[in-house]
Amino acid sequence: RRQKKTASHAVMELEDTKDRSHAGKPLFCPFHPTEELRLFCEQCDQPVCQDCVMGRHQHHPYDFASSVIHRHGKSLRELLKTTQQHMGTLEDVLRQIDDMSSAVCSRAEAVASQISLFAAGYVKAIEEHRDQLLKQLEDLKVQKENLLHLQKAQLQQLLLDMRTGVEFTEHLLMSGSDLEILITKGVVASRLAKLNSIAYNTHPSVDDRIQFSPQERAGKCCGYEVFGSILNEVVDPAKCTLDGEDLHSARQNELTGFTLLLKDTTGERMRRGGEAVQVTITHKDKRDCSLKPTVCDNGDGTYHVSYSPEEPGLYAVCICVKGQHIQGSPFTVMVKNKFREHQGVFHCCTFCSSGGQKAAYCACGGTMPGGYQGCGHGHKGHPGYPHWSCCGQVKESSECLDGPRSDTSQRSLLRTVAL
């Protein structure tokens, strides 16, 4: 009643409409009150009357509502079937969560019993240590139960939404008239499609990995060295880091890589492997160009990732641990062209290295007096250092530039001199 568009609408309970046999009454066009809605406009996806076809919906493809109800009803039934399948999966996951919750409680009780037996041999210091361990275990148990309860509540809500949508759709298909189905088809299909698109985890969000190690050193308690610790190293993808000389650049056809360091929820380095690590490297401009990196588990909480890019360009690197991105992922890597070797000679000047040829040319751009080409010690344009004749670079281990600043004939002569 508070909405302008529906303030004048007549609203009644579904049960009341059943008693009054309203479902069988004809529906009339809102634009032509004397005309019954018997047709369905395919282009506008709505029921229309005969006058609408001659007016606003002229030249639109249409058909009788009784002729198209089977096709549209079929699409709704297919969506309904998919939703029902999701309901079955959700019910299975909820059962698994209940079983896992019981397993966590059982495991926690078993560990608590071990801790109590271990601490029974000590006096005051050991009893205090035992109490600390039990509190830590209880906190861990509560943490896992809270995560399971949260996941369970979310899935129960999703299941409730799906059940409501399914019941409404089933009632509509069983009790609704053809025109009622066609009128509400869009809203119902959109709701079911949205429910079907919601992603959910098909496994419990935590496991029952709780262990007690009697041999583990636990420091001192009341001045006494005590043993016994709860092991619950859980990797935290958001705190994992990468180690490497240059993570953001690489060379074409050259093997490169980096090291992934796993860390737990406290930020401490993990000392064991066995985690699910997934690395994808794809070209940003060429979607069909992707690399297959090699991931090596070192067994000590580190993973070495190596790859060799065949195409230059900008790549996106995604690193996931247990299905979640690590710190800084995804990041980009610029792959440069293959290292260009120098084609000339590394010398002090062209005049000396060519044996005094007056026509010799050097890429540094230096000139000899008297009209000679090429460069000489201390003369105009000479860099003052030993340099490459092919590109003028003064660093011997550098990469060759685009080539000598000369024409083709001079470049030929330069290569001859180099040989």
Side-chain angles (χ1 to χ4, degrees), residues 233 235-236 239-243 259-264 268-275 277 295-304 321 326:
E233 275 191 337
V235 64
D236 187 352
K239 294 183 179 179
C240 297
T241 58
L242 298 177
D243 184 27
T259 301
L260 169 64
L261 307 178
L262 295 189
K263 297 184 179 180
D264 59 17
E268 295 293 328
R269 271 279 310 276
M270 297 187 65
R271 302 300 176 183
R272 57 174 177 80
E275 298 291 346
V277 177
V295 181
C296 179
D297 185 354
N298 298 324
D300 59 354
T302 63
Y303 294 77
H304 184 69
V321 177
I326 68 164

Side-chain angles (χ1 to χ4, degrees), residues 18 30-31 50 55 185 201-202 206-207 236 260 264 357 383 392:
K18 205 171 190 180
F31 302 101
Q50 189 172 359
K185 173 188 72 68
N201 193 354
T202 57
V206 299
D207 53 28
D236 187 352
L260 169 64
D264 59 17
Q357 292 187 23

Side-chain angles (χ1 to χ4, degrees), residues 32-335:
H32 310 95
T34 60
E35 292 293 330
E36 186 178 349
L37 293 172
R38 297 176 179 272
L39 306 174
F40 184 78
C41 178
E42 297 286 356
Q43 180 172 332
C44 300
D45 196 29
Q46 67 179 36
V48 295
C49 69
Q50 189 172 359
D51 289 349
C52 290
V53 172
M54 302 300 295
R56 295 187 307 113
H57 298 270
Q58 192 175 10
H59 305 304
H60 290 189
Y62 68 92
D63 200 348
F64 286 99
S66 59
S67 300
V68 300
I69 182 61
H70 301 291
R71 174 160 49 86
H72 293 282
K74 182 180 178 182
S75 63
L76 282 178
R77 290 186 183 90
E78 291 176 352
L79 282 172
L80 176 63
K81 183 178 179 181
T82 304
T83 307
Q84 290 171 334
Q85 292 174 350
H86 284 294
M87 288 176 58
T89 305
L90 285 170
E91 290 171 350
D92 292 339
V93 176
L94 288 172
R95 282 194 293 269
Q96 294 179 27
I97 290 176
D98 290 336
D99 295 340
M100 184 58 67
S101 180
S102 300
V104 169
C105 293
S106 301
R107 186 62 180 164
E109 292 174 1
V111 174
S113 177
Q114 291 179 4
I115 294 173
S116 298
L117 291 174
F118 171 73
Y122 290 89
V123 197
K124 184 178 179 179
I126 302 303
E127 289 178 350
E128 184 175 334
H129 179 53
R130 177 196 61 192
D131 295 339
Q132 292 176 356
L133 290 174
L134 289 173
K135 184 180 183 303
Q136 182 183 352
L137 175 65
E138 183 64 25
D139 293 341
L140 181 60
K141 170 190 167 186
V142 171
Q143 179 185 1
K144 287 180 176 287
E145 285 182 332
N146 288 341
L147 291 174
L148 289 173
H149 289 329
L150 176 61
Q151 184 186 15
K152 183 177 180 179
Q154 292 173 342
L155 293 181
Q156 284 178 334
Q157 183 61 48
L158 178 58
L159 180 60
L160 178 62
D161 294 342
M162 287 189 173
R163 184 177 286 116
T164 302
V166 167
E167 290 175 355
F168 179 81
T169 307
E170 288 177 340
H171 180 77
L172 175 66
L173 293 173
M174 290 177 61
S175 305
S177 66
D178 296 349
L179 289 175
E180 287 175 334
I181 294 175
L182 293 173
I183 290 173
T184 59
K185 173 188 72 68
V187 177
V188 174
S190 175
R191 176 60 175 166
L192 293 179
K194 183 177 180 180
L195 289 173
N196 293 337
S197 65
I198 297 177
Y200 54 86
N201 193 354
T202 57
H203 300 284
S205 57
V206 299
D207 53 28
D208 60 345
R209 189 185 303 174
I210 305 176
Q211 294 180 345
F212 175 67
S213 176
Q215 296 81 17
E216 193 81 14
R217 292 181 179 271
K220 289 188 176 182
C221 184
C222 297
Y224 293 89
E225 187 175 3
V226 293
F227 294 82
S229 178
I230 294 176
L231 301 180
N232 184 49
E233 275 191 337
V234 178
V235 64
D236 187 352
K239 294 183 179 179
C240 297
T241 58
L242 298 177
D243 184 27
E245 293 184 359
D246 195 352
L247 298 173
H248 299 283
S249 65
R251 283 281 184 182
Q252 181 184 8
N253 295 329
E254 288 186 8
L255 185 65
T256 185
F258 51 84
T259 301
L260 169 64
L261 307 178
L262 295 189
K263 297 184 179 180
D264 59 17
T265 53
T266 63
E268 295 293 328
R269 271 279 310 276
M270 297 187 65
R271 302 300 176 183
R272 57 174 177 80
E275 298 291 346
V277 177
Q278 183 180 9
V279 182
T280 58
I281 305 177
T282 55
H283 200 293
K284 283 209 165 189
D285 297 327
K286 301 177 182 179
R287 294 187 177 181
D288 57 341
C289 179
S290 60
L291 305 180
K292 294 183 179 180
T294 301
V295 181
C296 179
D297 185 354
N298 298 324
D300 59 354
T302 63
Y303 294 77
H304 184 69
V305 181
S306 58
Y307 62 96
S308 179
E310 297 181 357
E311 293 286 340
L314 191 64
Y315 286 78
V317 181
C318 296
I319 305 174
C320 296
V321 177
K322 297 177 67 173
Q324 300 181 28
H325 284 278
I326 68 164
Q327 183 182 141
S329 174
F331 63 93
T332 57
V333 173
M334 173 57 71
V335 176

Side-chain angles (χ1 to χ4, degrees), residues 376-393:
H377 303 278
H379 292 294
K380 183 180 178 182
H382 189 277
Y385 306 96
H387 55 279
W388 286 99
S389 62
C390 51
C391 62
Q393 288 274 68

